[in-house]
Amino acid sequence: MLHWGVLSLFLYFPEDKTEYIPAGITSAIFLIAAIITMRWIIKKSKRDEEKTKELEEKMLKEQQDK
């Protein structure tokens, strides 16, 4: 198991809490971008699903007409 001394080298808790502000802003930007991207993917998927259903109905109708 790793010793506490080795693990503590990678931990940094600043005394000045204003150093957390840039990290918070960056995290917020990426979170908002991820939400927007996910919503876009869902909307695009729904549009593609509707197109696929229309195409399937058209093909079934043509097949029944034959």
Side-chain angles (χ1 to χ4, degrees), residues 1 5-6 11 13 17-19 21 23-25 27 31-33 42 44 52 55-56 63-65:
M1 233 176 151
V6 174
L11 295 175
F13 297 104
K17 300 303 179 194
T18 59
E19 292 184 30
I21 293 172
I25 292 170
S27 296
L31 178 65
I32 292 168
I42 291 170
K44 177 81 169 116
T52 304
L55 181 61
E56 183 181 0
Q63 205 174 36
Q64 287 175 354
D65 289 344

